[in-house]
Amino acid sequence: SFVVLLLLGYLALKLLVNHKMAAFGIAWFFITLLPVCHIIPHHELMAEHYLYLPSVGFCLVAALAGNQALTRGRHNLLFIGCFLAIIAFFSVRIWDRNRDWRDSLTLFEKTVKTAPQCARAHENLGNALARTGRTEDAISAYEQALAIKPTFTDARNNLGIVYARSGDVDGAITEYKRVLALAPNHSRAHYNLANAYREKGLLDQAVAAYEKALEIKPNHPWASRNLTEVRARKEAEAQKINTYEQARAANPADAALHNNLGELYGRRGMVEKSVYHYRQGIDTNPGYAPAYNNLAWVYAASIHEAHRNGGGGV
Protein backbone atom coordinates (compact mmCIF):
# COMPACT_ATOMS: atom_id res chain seq x y z
CA SER A 1 0.00 0.00 0.00
CA PHE A 2 2.91 2.34 0.73
CA VAL A 3 4.29 1.75 -2.78
CA VAL A 4 0.88 2.54 -4.27
CA LEU A 5 0.77 5.80 -2.31
CA LEU A 6 4.23 6.73 -3.55
CA LEU A 7 3.22 6.02 -7.15
CA LEU A 8 0.05 8.13 -6.79
CA GLY A 9 2.10 10.96 -5.29
CA TYR A 10 4.56 10.76 -8.17
CA LEU A 11 1.66 10.70 -10.69
CA ALA A 12 0.09 13.79 -9.10
CA LEU A 13 3.39 15.69 -9.39
CA LYS A 14 3.77 14.70 -13.06
CA LEU A 15 0.18 15.74 -13.79
CA LEU A 16 0.77 19.21 -12.32
CA VAL A 17 2.47 20.24 -15.57
CA ASN A 18 -0.24 19.44 -18.14
CA HIS A 19 -3.27 18.17 -16.17
CA LYS A 20 -3.69 20.42 -13.18
CA MET A 21 -7.34 19.41 -12.59
CA ALA A 22 -6.39 15.72 -12.42
CA ALA A 23 -3.56 16.54 -9.98
CA PHE A 24 -6.04 18.59 -7.96
CA GLY A 25 -8.44 15.61 -7.85
CA ILE A 26 -5.74 13.28 -6.52
CA ALA A 27 -4.60 15.86 -3.97
CA TRP A 28 -8.21 16.52 -2.91
CA PHE A 29 -8.76 12.81 -2.24
CA PHE A 30 -5.79 12.43 0.10
CA ILE A 31 -5.97 15.81 1.81
CA THR A 32 -9.65 15.38 2.74
CA LEU A 33 -8.90 11.83 3.94
CA LEU A 34 -6.10 12.98 6.27
CA PRO A 35 -8.31 13.94 9.27
CA VAL A 36 -9.54 10.34 9.66
CA CYS A 37 -6.25 8.55 8.86
CA HIS A 38 -5.42 8.05 12.57
CA ILE A 39 -2.46 10.38 12.54
CA ILE A 40 -4.24 11.42 15.72
CA PRO A 41 -5.97 8.20 16.91
CA HIS A 42 -9.73 8.34 17.32
CA HIS A 43 -12.72 6.07 17.93
CA GLU A 44 -13.11 4.23 14.60
CA LEU A 45 -10.54 2.70 12.26
CA MET A 46 -12.72 2.36 9.15
CA ALA A 47 -16.12 3.69 8.07
CA GLU A 48 -17.95 4.21 4.80
CA HIS A 49 -18.63 7.88 5.47
CA TYR A 50 -14.89 8.65 5.62
CA LEU A 51 -14.91 8.51 1.81
CA TYR A 52 -17.90 10.79 1.17
CA LEU A 53 -15.85 13.99 0.81
CA PRO A 54 -12.68 12.40 -0.67
CA SER A 55 -14.79 10.69 -3.37
CA VAL A 56 -15.30 14.12 -5.00
CA GLY A 57 -11.62 14.02 -6.02
CA PHE A 58 -11.95 10.45 -7.30
CA CYS A 59 -15.05 11.34 -9.35
CA LEU A 60 -13.27 14.38 -10.80
CA VAL A 61 -10.31 12.27 -11.99
CA ALA A 62 -12.66 9.57 -13.35
CA ALA A 63 -14.67 12.18 -15.28
CA LEU A 64 -11.51 13.76 -16.73
CA ALA A 65 -10.22 10.34 -17.79
CA GLY A 66 -13.57 9.44 -19.35
CA ASN A 67 -13.77 12.72 -21.20
CA GLN A 68 -10.23 12.25 -22.51
CA ALA A 69 -11.05 8.73 -23.75
CA LEU A 70 -14.22 9.86 -25.56
CA THR A 71 -12.47 12.87 -27.10
CA ARG A 72 -9.84 10.66 -28.69
CA GLY A 73 -12.61 8.57 -30.30
CA ARG A 74 -10.77 5.26 -29.91
CA HIS A 75 -12.38 2.28 -28.16
CA ASN A 76 -15.53 4.29 -27.53
CA LEU A 77 -17.75 1.22 -27.53
CA LEU A 78 -15.46 -0.54 -25.02
CA PHE A 79 -15.42 2.54 -22.80
CA ILE A 80 -19.23 2.95 -22.94
CA GLY A 81 -19.68 -0.76 -22.24
CA CYS A 82 -17.42 -0.57 -19.19
CA PHE A 83 -19.20 2.57 -18.00
CA LEU A 84 -22.63 0.90 -18.28
CA ALA A 85 -21.31 -2.20 -16.50
CA ILE A 86 -20.06 -0.02 -13.64
CA ILE A 87 -23.43 1.77 -13.43
CA ALA A 88 -25.25 -1.58 -13.38
CA PHE A 89 -22.93 -3.02 -10.71
CA PHE A 90 -23.26 -0.03 -8.40
CA SER A 91 -27.03 0.11 -8.91
CA VAL A 92 -27.32 -3.50 -7.74
CA ARG A 93 -24.93 -2.81 -4.86
CA ILE A 94 -26.95 0.22 -3.76
CA TRP A 95 -30.18 -1.78 -3.89
CA ASP A 96 -28.58 -4.53 -1.80
CA ARG A 97 -27.07 -2.09 0.69
CA ASN A 98 -30.38 -0.25 1.10
CA ARG A 99 -31.81 -3.45 2.59
CA ASP A 100 -29.17 -3.20 5.31
CA TRP A 101 -30.07 0.45 5.89
CA ARG A 102 -33.80 -0.25 6.23
CA ASP A 103 -33.58 0.59 9.94
CA SER A 104 -30.98 0.68 12.70
CA LEU A 105 -31.61 -2.95 13.65
CA THR A 106 -30.92 -4.36 10.17
CA LEU A 107 -27.93 -2.02 9.78
CA PHE A 108 -26.18 -3.14 12.95
CA GLU A 109 -27.07 -6.80 12.47
CA LYS A 110 -25.21 -6.57 9.16
CA THR A 111 -22.35 -4.61 10.74
CA VAL A 112 -21.88 -7.26 13.44
CA LYS A 113 -21.71 -9.96 10.76
CA THR A 114 -19.21 -7.93 8.76
CA ALA A 115 -17.05 -6.91 11.74
CA PRO A 116 -17.73 -9.45 14.54
CA GLN A 117 -14.81 -8.16 16.66
CA CYS A 118 -16.06 -4.56 16.69
CA ALA A 119 -17.29 -3.78 20.23
CA ARG A 120 -19.01 -0.59 19.11
CA ALA A 121 -21.05 -2.50 16.50
CA HIS A 122 -22.31 -4.91 19.18
CA GLU A 123 -23.17 -1.98 21.46
CA ASN A 124 -25.11 -0.26 18.67
CA LEU A 125 -26.92 -3.53 17.96
CA GLY A 126 -27.79 -3.75 21.67
CA ASN A 127 -29.23 -0.22 21.54
CA ALA A 128 -31.36 -1.10 18.50
CA LEU A 129 -32.60 -4.32 20.13
CA ALA A 130 -33.43 -2.49 23.37
CA ARG A 131 -35.51 0.06 21.45
CA THR A 132 -37.57 -2.75 19.91
CA GLY A 133 -38.18 -4.37 23.31
CA ARG A 134 -35.95 -7.42 22.70
CA THR A 135 -34.41 -7.25 26.17
CA GLU A 136 -32.66 -10.62 26.32
CA ASP A 137 -31.10 -10.13 22.89
CA ALA A 138 -29.99 -6.61 23.87
CA ILE A 139 -28.32 -7.95 27.02
CA SER A 140 -26.53 -10.58 24.93
CA ALA A 141 -25.28 -7.91 22.48
CA TYR A 142 -23.97 -5.68 25.29
CA GLU A 143 -22.25 -8.66 26.94
CA GLN A 144 -20.60 -9.49 23.61
CA ALA A 145 -19.36 -5.90 23.32
CA LEU A 146 -17.93 -6.12 26.85
CA ALA A 147 -16.31 -9.49 26.13
CA ILE A 148 -14.42 -7.78 23.30
CA LYS A 149 -13.72 -4.58 25.24
CA PRO A 150 -14.24 -4.91 29.04
CA THR A 151 -13.54 -1.17 29.58
CA PHE A 152 -16.35 -0.09 27.22
CA THR A 153 -18.22 2.11 29.71
CA ASP A 154 -21.08 3.15 27.42
CA ALA A 155 -21.95 -0.50 26.69
CA ARG A 156 -21.88 -1.31 30.40
CA ASN A 157 -24.00 1.73 31.23
CA ASN A 158 -26.57 0.69 28.61
CA LEU A 159 -26.52 -2.86 29.98
CA GLY A 160 -27.46 -1.38 33.35
CA ILE A 161 -30.33 0.55 31.76
CA VAL A 162 -31.71 -2.65 30.19
CA TYR A 163 -31.40 -4.49 33.52
CA ALA A 164 -33.36 -1.69 35.22
CA ARG A 165 -36.09 -1.76 32.56
CA SER A 166 -36.44 -5.52 32.94
CA GLY A 167 -36.90 -5.18 36.71
CA ASP A 168 -33.40 -6.27 37.78
CA VAL A 169 -32.58 -3.07 39.66
CA ASP A 170 -29.82 -4.73 41.71
CA GLY A 171 -28.14 -5.88 38.50
CA ALA A 172 -28.41 -2.35 37.12
CA ILE A 173 -26.81 -0.87 40.23
CA THR A 174 -23.92 -3.33 39.93
CA GLU A 175 -23.28 -2.34 36.30
CA TYR A 176 -23.46 1.40 37.03
CA LYS A 177 -20.94 0.96 39.84
CA ARG A 178 -18.62 -0.89 37.48
CA VAL A 179 -18.88 1.99 35.01
CA LEU A 180 -17.99 4.49 37.72
CA ALA A 181 -15.04 2.37 38.85
CA LEU A 182 -13.66 2.79 35.32
CA ALA A 183 -14.87 6.36 34.71
CA PRO A 184 -15.66 8.26 37.94
CA ASN A 185 -16.90 11.32 36.00
CA HIS A 186 -19.40 9.43 33.84
CA SER A 187 -22.39 11.73 34.52
CA ARG A 188 -24.98 9.45 32.88
CA ALA A 189 -23.88 6.52 35.06
CA HIS A 190 -24.25 8.67 38.21
CA TYR A 191 -27.70 9.76 37.03
CA ASN A 192 -28.79 6.21 36.18
CA LEU A 193 -27.42 4.94 39.49
CA ALA A 194 -29.44 7.62 41.30
CA ASN A 195 -32.59 6.50 39.47
CA ALA A 196 -31.94 2.89 40.48
CA TYR A 197 -31.43 3.89 44.11
CA ARG A 198 -34.66 5.90 43.97
CA GLU A 199 -36.47 2.85 42.54
CA LYS A 200 -35.27 0.77 45.51
CA GLY A 201 -36.17 3.49 47.99
CA LEU A 202 -32.51 4.13 48.91
CA LEU A 203 -33.08 7.85 49.12
CA ASP A 204 -29.84 8.91 50.80
CA GLN A 205 -27.78 7.13 48.14
CA ALA A 206 -30.03 8.55 45.41
CA VAL A 207 -29.48 12.11 46.64
CA ALA A 208 -25.70 11.63 46.69
CA ALA A 209 -25.70 10.18 43.16
CA TYR A 210 -27.91 12.97 41.75
CA GLU A 211 -25.68 15.57 43.38
CA LYS A 212 -22.60 13.96 41.82
CA ALA A 213 -24.25 13.90 38.39
CA LEU A 214 -25.08 17.60 38.73
CA GLU A 215 -21.57 18.38 39.93
CA ILE A 216 -20.21 16.88 36.69
CA LYS A 217 -22.99 18.23 34.45
CA PRO A 218 -24.69 21.20 36.18
CA ASN A 219 -27.26 21.75 33.41
CA HIS A 220 -28.74 18.23 33.63
CA PRO A 221 -32.50 19.06 33.89
CA TRP A 222 -33.76 15.60 34.85
CA ALA A 223 -31.17 15.12 37.57
CA SER A 224 -32.14 18.44 39.13
CA ARG A 225 -35.85 17.63 38.96
CA ASN A 226 -35.43 14.12 40.37
CA LEU A 227 -33.15 15.39 43.14
CA THR A 228 -35.86 17.80 44.27
CA GLU A 229 -38.44 15.00 44.30
CA VAL A 230 -36.18 12.59 46.22
CA ARG A 231 -35.33 15.21 48.81
CA ALA A 232 -39.04 15.77 49.37
CA ARG A 233 -39.59 12.01 49.76
CA LYS A 234 -36.62 11.79 52.08
CA GLU A 235 -38.01 14.51 54.35
CA ALA A 236 -41.40 12.76 54.37
CA GLU A 237 -39.83 9.40 55.27
CA ALA A 238 -37.69 10.99 57.98
CA GLN A 239 -40.88 12.38 59.49
CA LYS A 240 -42.50 8.94 59.23
CA ILE A 241 -39.54 7.34 61.02
CA ASN A 242 -39.76 9.88 63.82
CA THR A 243 -43.49 9.20 64.16
CA TYR A 244 -43.00 5.41 64.28
CA GLU A 245 -40.07 5.69 66.69
CA GLN A 246 -42.24 7.72 69.07
CA ALA A 247 -45.05 5.17 68.73
CA ARG A 248 -42.63 2.28 69.33
CA ALA A 249 -41.30 3.94 72.48
CA ALA A 250 -44.85 4.06 73.79
CA ASN A 251 -45.66 0.49 72.57
CA PRO A 252 -42.39 -1.51 72.56
CA ALA A 253 -44.26 -4.86 72.28
CA ASP A 254 -46.02 -3.93 69.00
CA ALA A 255 -44.50 -6.17 66.28
CA ALA A 256 -46.21 -4.23 63.47
CA LEU A 257 -44.45 -1.02 64.51
CA HIS A 258 -41.07 -2.78 64.41
CA ASN A 259 -41.91 -4.22 61.01
CA ASN A 260 -42.89 -0.81 59.60
CA LEU A 261 -39.72 0.74 60.97
CA GLY A 262 -37.72 -2.05 59.33
CA GLU A 263 -39.30 -1.21 55.97
CA LEU A 264 -38.64 2.51 56.35
CA TYR A 265 -35.00 2.02 57.37
CA GLY A 266 -34.59 -0.48 54.52
CA ARG A 267 -35.79 2.08 51.98
CA ARG A 268 -33.19 4.49 53.36
CA GLY A 269 -30.45 1.90 52.83
CA MET A 270 -29.92 1.49 56.58
CA VAL A 271 -29.79 -2.32 56.44
CA GLU A 272 -28.53 -2.98 59.97
CA LYS A 273 -31.34 -0.97 61.54
CA SER A 274 -33.83 -2.61 59.19
CA VAL A 275 -32.69 -6.12 60.23
CA TYR A 276 -32.69 -5.10 63.90
CA HIS A 277 -36.35 -4.02 63.80
CA TYR A 278 -37.50 -7.10 61.85
CA ARG A 279 -35.80 -9.26 64.48
CA GLN A 280 -37.36 -7.21 67.26
CA GLY A 281 -40.76 -7.74 65.66
CA ILE A 282 -40.16 -11.50 65.54
CA ASP A 283 -38.90 -11.57 69.15
CA THR A 284 -41.94 -9.59 70.24
CA ASN A 285 -44.39 -11.78 68.33
CA PRO A 286 -42.90 -15.07 66.99
CA GLY A 287 -46.04 -15.65 64.94
CA TYR A 288 -45.90 -12.31 63.06
CA ALA A 289 -45.37 -13.47 59.44
CA PRO A 290 -44.68 -10.07 57.72
CA ALA A 291 -41.50 -9.58 59.76
CA TYR A 292 -40.21 -13.05 58.76
CA ASN A 293 -41.02 -12.33 55.10
CA ASN A 294 -39.30 -8.94 55.07
CA LEU A 295 -36.25 -10.27 56.89
CA ALA A 296 -35.98 -13.05 54.30
CA TRP A 297 -36.08 -10.44 51.49
CA VAL A 298 -33.22 -8.53 53.12
CA TYR A 299 -31.12 -11.70 53.37
CA ALA A 300 -31.95 -12.70 49.78
CA ALA A 301 -30.92 -9.25 48.51
CA SER A 302 -27.64 -9.51 50.43
CA ILE A 303 -26.88 -12.94 48.92
CA HIS A 304 -27.76 -11.68 45.43
CA GLU A 305 -25.49 -8.65 45.82
CA ALA A 306 -22.63 -10.80 47.14
CA HIS A 307 -22.86 -13.14 44.15
CA ARG A 308 -23.03 -10.28 41.63
CA ASN A 309 -19.89 -8.81 43.19
CA GLY A 310 -18.07 -12.11 42.87
CA GLY A 311 -18.52 -13.35 46.42
CA GLY A 312 -19.38 -16.92 47.23
CA GLY A 313 -21.02 -16.62 50.62
CA VAL A 314 -23.60 -14.71 52.59
Side-chain angles (χ1 to χ4, degrees):
S1 60
F2 184 65
V3 171
V4 171
L5 290 173
L6 287 176
L7 289 173
L8 285 170
Y10 175 74
L11 178 61
L13 289 173
K14 295 288 286 183
L15 289 171
L16 272 174
V17 179
N18 298 317
H19 300 282
K20 289 184 171 58
M21 286 297 288
F24 173 79
I26 294 172
W28 174 279
F29 181 89
F30 287 103
I31 290 171
T32 55
L33 197 59
L34 277 175
V36 292
C37 280
H38 282 259
I39 296 169
I40 299 174
H42 56 93
H43 69 291
E44 202 165 41
L45 183 62
M46 293 183 290
E48 289 176 343
H49 57 269
Y50 290 171
L51 285 174
Y52 290 171
L53 190 59
S55 67
V56 173
F58 173 82
C59 292
L60 175 61
V61 173
L64 290 170
N67 184 65
Q68 187 77 8
L70 289 172
T71 301
R72 288 180 179 179
R74 289 181 295 177
H75 310 298
N76 279 8
L77 288 177
L78 177 62
F79 176 82
I80 292 170
C82 290
F83 179 75
L84 291 175
I86 291 170
I87 293 295
F89 172 76
F90 277 109
S91 296
V92 172
R93 186 70 187 93
I94 289 169
W95 170 81
D96 181 59
R97 187 62 170 150
N98 279 344
R99 294 189 300 173
D100 299 332
W101 280 84
R102 185 172 67 246
D103 54 43
S104 59
L105 183 57
T106 58
L107 174 63
F108 291 117
E109 284 176 337
K110 179 66 175 182
T111 307
V112 164
K113 289 178 183 177
T114 306
Q117 292 304 309
C118 178
R120 188 159 169 257
H122 286 283
E123 191 243 353
N124 285 331
L125 176 59
N127 295 341
L129 290 164
R131 283 193 292 270
T132 59
R134 293 168 57 182
T135 303
E136 293 300 321
D137 292 334
I139 289 172
S140 178
Y142 290 135
E143 288 175 343
Q144 184 62 41
L146 291 167
I148 297 166
K149 186 179 178 183
T151 58
F152 196 172
T153 54
D154 284 345
R156 194 170 292 284
N157 181 64
N158 290 336
L159 177 59
I161 291 172
V162 172
Y163 277 144
R165 288 177 181 170
S166 64
D168 186 2
V169 182
D170 289 325
I173 289 172
T174 299
E175 295 304 327
Y176 298 143
K177 286 181 176 179
R178 287 173 177 170
V179 172
L180 294 172
L182 293 167
N185 289 325
H186 199 295
S187 63
R188 284 177 295 160
H190 282 291
Y191 172 72
N192 291 332
L193 179 61
N195 288 340
Y197 280 142
R198 182 181 64 165
E199 181 73 17
K200 284 184 66 69
L202 304 176
L203 303 185
D204 290 329
Q205 291 93 322
V207 167
Y210 282 132
E211 287 175 343
K212 186 63 178 178
L214 287 166
E215 178 185 324
I216 298 165
K217 189 177 179 181
N219 60 343
H220 197 309
W222 289 103
S224 180
R225 185 180 305 171
N226 290 351
L227 176 59
T228 301
E229 186 240 319
V230 169
R231 280 175 172 164
R233 279 179 59 187
K234 185 179 168 186
E235 289 172 3
E237 290 207 348
Q239 185 58 46
K240 280 185 184 178
I241 288 174
N242 289 335
T243 301
Y244 276 110
E245 286 286 10
Q246 290 171 10
R248 182 187 64 84
N251 301 280
D254 191 330
L257 288 175
H258 283 291
N259 183 65
N260 291 338
L261 275 168
E263 291 179 351
L264 287 169
Y265 280 124
R267 287 202 293 268
R268 296 289 293 274
M270 303 166 75
V271 179
E272 290 184 4
K273 282 196 171 185
S274 177
V275 169
Y276 168 78
H277 282 289
Y278 290 140
R279 285 189 172 280
Q280 284 293 105
I282 291 168
D283 290 343
T284 301
N285 183 358
Y288 189 67
Y292 285 104
N293 184 61
N294 289 334
L295 184 59
W297 274 109
V298 172
Y299 287 150
S302 299
I303 293 170
H304 180 68
E305 184 68 19
H307 279 293
R308 288 199 67 85
N309 290 327
V314 179

